[in-house]
């Protein structure tokens, strides 16, 4: 559609299909980011459930089982964190150590917060008596960081919506002009200068989309 709007050429529209592959990868990346963000928020609840179980007096393996039960009630059986806890418990059942399964979970997740927790957890588990206090401190620090990230995302959500709307406006304007007064736009498709102008507009449009994504990609 973009190829036809900017160049009035079915042939060029066919060429533009090649750009669907990097666009598809971008969509996949966005979906992965959403999935990781959801896992991060669920992990915050998992930390709360784990520390609460430890304070109740459960051993670390039983604390994971209690946390799994609580997370299942809170998020449902299909939640990412519930599936991860279910897998970790199955690994513990076949004589894998808690440290090993937590470390593998951190690697699978690819999240810095979970990887940091894995390192702290390994040290805390080896320290024995200090496990609960170290877990409390780690859980509070990580939870606060996740909460700050969440607050920032909520603050910029409106700006992201504005960005999406503005990204559609140029395409909508060109479509409106073509439908409303096609003869007025014809010079941009038939002359060399017109095609150069439309090419410049397309490049500027893509650059603006890329810049907008970079500005909104806030890392903490």
């Amino acid at each position: 559609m973009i190829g036809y709007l900017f160049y009035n050429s079915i042939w060029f529209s066919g060429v533009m299909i090649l750009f669907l592959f990097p666009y598809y990868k971008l969509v996949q990346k966005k979906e992965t980011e959403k999935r990781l963000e959801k896992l991060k928020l669920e992990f915050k609840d998992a930390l709360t459930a784990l520390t609460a179980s430890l304070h109740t007096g459960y051993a670390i393996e039983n604390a994971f089982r209690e946390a799994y039960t609580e997370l299942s009630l809170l998020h449902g059986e299909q939640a990412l964190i519930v599936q991860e806890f279910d897998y970790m418990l199955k690994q513990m059942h076949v004589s894998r150590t808690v440290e090993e399964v937590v470390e593998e979970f951190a690697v699978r997740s690819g999240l810095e917060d979970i990887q940091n927790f894995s390192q702290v957890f390994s040290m805390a588990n080896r320290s024995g008596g200090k496990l609960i206090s170290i877990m409390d401190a780690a859980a509070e620090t990580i939870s606060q960081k996740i909460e700050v990230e969440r607050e920032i995302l909520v603050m910029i959500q409106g700006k992201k919506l504005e960005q999406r709307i503005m990204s559609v406006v140029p395409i909508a304007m060109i479509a409106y002009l073509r439908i409303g007064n096609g003869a007025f736009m014809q010079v941009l498709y038939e002359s060399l200068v017109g095609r150069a102008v439309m090419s410049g507009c397309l490049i500027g449009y893509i650059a603006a989309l890329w810049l907008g994504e970079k500005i909104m990609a806030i890392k903490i």
Side-chain angles (χ1 to χ4, degrees):
M1 182 188 69
I2 291 175
Y4 190 75
L5 284 176
F6 277 85
Y7 294 98
N8 196 34
S9 169
I10 296 177
W11 178 85
F12 197 85
S13 297
V15 174
M16 289 288 287
I17 291 176
L18 297 175
F19 290 92
L20 287 176
F21 296 102
Y23 176 74
Y24 178 68
K25 289 184 178 180
L26 178 62
V27 171
Q28 281 188 317
K29 180 182 177 182
K30 289 291 183 183
E31 290 299 319
T32 301
E33 289 175 354
K34 289 181 181 178
R35 183 176 179 275
L36 291 177
E37 185 62 29
K38 183 179 180 182
L39 178 60
K40 188 186 295 184
L41 292 175
E42 293 173 353
F43 177 67
K44 184 169 74 73
D45 295 331
L47 285 178
T48 302
L50 269 176
T51 53
S53 297
L54 289 172
H55 277 288
T56 307
Y58 286 102
I60 188 63
E61 291 84 358
N62 292 330
F64 270 84
R65 291 188 180 91
E66 288 298 315
Y68 168 75
T69 302
E70 185 175 337
L71 291 169
S72 298
L73 295 173
L74 184 62
H75 294 289
E77 295 288 341
Q78 300 304 315
L80 298 173
I81 194 67
V82 175
Q83 294 178 7
E84 288 291 348
F85 265 63
D86 180 51
Y87 179 76
M88 287 191 287
L89 289 173
K90 289 177 180 177
Q91 292 296 304
M92 294 178 201
H93 187 68
V94 293
S95 302
R96 299 288 304 280
T97 66
V98 183
E99 293 178 20
E100 287 176 343
V101 297
V102 171
E103 183 179 354
E104 289 176 357
F105 167 47
V107 173
R108 283 196 307 274
S109 71
L111 289 172
E112 182 183 357
D113 293 319
I114 300 180
Q115 291 169 356
N116 291 339
F117 169 76
S118 173
Q119 295 174 0
V120 172
F121 175 77
S122 296
M123 293 185 293
N125 200 33
R126 296 190 192 104
S127 68
K130 295 182 180 181
L131 175 62
I132 295 178
S133 60
I134 295 175
M135 286 283 291
D136 278 339
E140 182 178 0
T141 300
I142 294 174
S143 296
Q144 286 178 352
K145 180 176 180 290
I146 293 174
E147 194 61 35
V148 169
E149 290 177 343
R150 185 63 179 171
E151 289 176 1
I152 291 175
L153 286 175
V154 171
M155 290 172 61
I156 67 173
Q157 199 64 38
K159 297 299 181 183
K160 284 189 173 183
L161 179 59
E162 291 177 12
Q163 179 203 5
R164 293 191 186 101
I165 294 174
M166 293 302 296
S167 67
V168 177
V169 169
I171 302 298
M173 289 178 63
I174 295 175
Y176 174 76
L177 289 172
R178 289 201 59 176
I179 295 171
N181 193 350
F184 177 77
M185 297 283 292
Q186 203 63 31
V187 66
L188 294 173
Y189 301 124
E190 294 179 348
S191 66
L192 183 61
V193 174
R195 290 174 180 173
V197 169
M198 293 303 285
S199 297
C201 291
L202 179 59
I203 293 171
Y205 175 67
I206 295 173
L209 291 179
W210 176 81
L211 183 60
E213 289 294 329
K214 288 295 183 180
I215 292 174
M216 291 298 174
I218 297 176
K219 301 292 183 181
I220 301 178

